[in-house]
Amino acid sequence: MRPSLLYRWLKIYVRLAFAAYYRRYRIHNPQNVPVTGPVIFAINHQNAFMDALVVAVSSGRNPWFITRASVFSNATARYWLGLLQMLPIYRFRDGHANMKKNDEAMESVRRLLQQDETILIFPEGNHDRHWALRPLQKGIARMAFDLEAGEGFQSGLHIVPVGLQYENHLRSYSDVLISFGAPIAVSNYRDLYETNPAQAINRLIADLAPAIRSLMVHIPENMPYDKVAELIQSDAARPAALVDRLQHDQQLVERLQAMESIADMAAPKRKRRFCLLAWLLFVLSVIPHLPLLGLARMIVRKAVRDDHWTSSITFATLLLAGPLIYLAEILALGFATGHWSVAILFALLLWPTARYSLWYRAA
């Protein structure tokens, strides 16, 4: 099934926007994603809608998104969300009557997988920006076996574990690593499923959880989270390459877990050196971006009640309003000066000034 023109255009646009929003955006092992056949992406969920975006634009597949039904409140929303390949799913908080509508949603998912489409799922069932994988819900396994049982385990369905590792969930100009794990063939569980379906569901979940966990930093619940995260990020030995950094951080967690006490371990304080010239350059660089940054901050302040949505709302504002604001600035400068060469030079400087101002803020 060919995605809508809007979906294909947004996939390109969002990928380009990530180059501006993130300091480093890296994809690891995209070759693990099957080129053909039905696929379910199983992803750790830490950063609201940003998680779906970074995975959707990181492979050649065009996933459909399982989305909470409350956003499909009217016909206009349903039309546009349909073009974006979003499917509604109801939760217990939506009421028992609405939960019955999930049968129709699951039937839609089954038909899509029968057509060799890709479904994107967060098997934890909720989001939390801690570096940890929460217990997986069984819905993803039931969905997989529902398809395979109906197809005689001949559909070729694979579940691809995906690990997302954000250096900072809330701020722009940070790092994000998207790692695709080895695909899990659901047909491998056929004998067990035909003997004991409940045991097969539990086995699949038991295999999937460590597969996702191996692709991210996981700080267990029995460790002091804030202290461990601080020690990880302040470690002077952390590699610059994000894949190497992930492995280093995972090993550090293991070493810290083996220690009797880490409460008294002090993380080294980072010292920032002030340079007047660098600060003046920052002030000049950030001026063209103040209207957009101010708008994003205002929307976040008014719209965000759960800070897990901070990055998603900020990015959406920059994505939608950025081109309009910058175009207005370019046109205003051109008409005000009467010299369009000045406006063109201003436009060319938008990218480097944005990157410099973000770098200075994060330094």
Side-chain angles (χ1 to χ4, degrees), residues 2 37 117 154 226 246 272 311:
R2 188 173 176 81
E117 293 292 328
Q154 300 298 314
D226 291 337
L246 172 62
R272 179 172 181 173
S311 183

Side-chain angles (χ1 to χ4, degrees), residues 13-14 26 46 51-52 108 147 198 216 235 255-256:
Y13 180 39
V14 169
R26 298 289 184 268
Q46 296 183 354
D51 293 341
S108 297
L147 173 72
M216 54 180 285
D235 185 2
R255 293 197 301 271
L256 292 173

Side-chain angles (χ1 to χ4, degrees), residues 17-288:
F18 280 156
Y21 188 77
Y22 288 110
R23 180 176 63 173
R24 289 184 298 174
Y25 162 80
R26 298 289 184 268
I27 305 169
H28 184 51
N29 285 337
Q31 70 275 8
N32 281 336
V33 180
V35 178
T36 59
V39 168
I40 297 176
F41 284 140
I43 309 160
N44 65 307
H45 201 11
Q46 296 183 354
N47 205 5
F49 194 60
M50 293 298 285
D51 293 341
L53 290 180
V54 296
V55 175
V57 303
S58 298
S59 83
R61 304 302 294 250
N62 299 303
W64 291 72
F65 309 94
I66 303 295
T67 310
R68 58 187 176 89
S70 58
V71 300
F72 294 78
S73 56
N74 56 66
T76 302
R78 288 193 293 272
Y79 172 77
W80 288 105
L81 294 175
L83 292 179
L84 296 176
Q85 299 191 174
M86 295 187 180
L87 299 169
I89 192 76
Y90 292 89
R91 300 168 294 178
F92 287 110
R93 70 183 66 174
D94 297 319
H96 180 71
N98 283 323
M99 287 292 295
K100 296 180 180 179
K101 298 179 182 178
N102 282 339
D103 293 339
E104 181 180 345
M106 291 302 99
E107 178 61 25
S108 297
V109 168
R110 190 173 68 84
R111 286 197 301 268
L112 288 168
L113 292 173
Q114 286 176 326
Q115 299 172 40
D116 293 343
E117 293 292 328
T118 305
I119 303 296
L120 187 152
I121 295 178
F122 301 110
E124 293 164 292
N126 52 34
H127 61 228
D128 188 308
R129 58 183 169 84
H130 285 168
W131 289 345
L133 184 71
R134 297 174 302 286
L136 305 189
Q137 307 299 309
K138 296 180 180 180
I140 186 173
R142 295 191 180 100
M143 182 183 299
F145 286 124
D146 178 63
L147 173 72
E148 283 287 43
E151 299 291 319
F153 283 83
Q154 300 298 314
S155 75
L157 174 63
H158 286 84
I159 297 177
V160 176
V162 185
L164 304 181
Q165 186 60 35
Y166 297 90
E167 185 69 10
N168 189 311
H169 297 85
L170 302 180
R171 301 189 69 174
S172 58
Y173 202 72
S174 183
D175 301 328
V176 59
L177 174 67
I178 303 97
S179 300
F180 292 97
I184 299 172
V186 181
S187 59
N188 292 341
Y189 300 84
R190 177 175 185 172
D191 292 342
L192 181 59
Y193 183 82
E194 291 178 343
T195 302
N196 189 327
Q199 190 174 349
I201 289 173
N202 291 334
R203 176 73 59 81
L204 177 53
I205 293 298
D207 291 343
L208 180 59
I212 300 175
R213 197 179 298 121
S214 68
L215 304 172
M216 54 180 285
V217 174
H218 174 75
I219 300 177
E221 289 185 354
N222 63 348
M223 299 183 73
Y225 179 85
D226 291 337
K227 170 62 72 173
V228 174
E230 181 184 25
L231 291 172
I232 290 174
Q233 292 186 305
S234 62
D235 185 2
R238 293 182 88 198
L242 297 188
V243 175
D244 296 337
R245 177 184 293 181
L246 172 62
Q247 295 172 354
H248 174 273
D249 292 349
Q250 291 171 330
Q251 293 167 2
L252 179 57
V253 171
E254 292 177 2
R255 293 197 301 271
L256 292 173
Q257 195 170 17
M259 296 180 180
E260 291 186 2
S261 175
I262 62 174
D264 297 328
M265 295 180 65
K269 300 297 183 181
R270 187 181 66 173
K271 295 182 179 180
R272 179 172 181 173
R273 296 180 179 178
F274 178 78
C275 173
L276 180 60
L277 179 60
W279 179 80
L280 289 174
L281 186 56
F282 164 73
V283 172
L284 293 175
S285 296
V286 79
I287 289 174

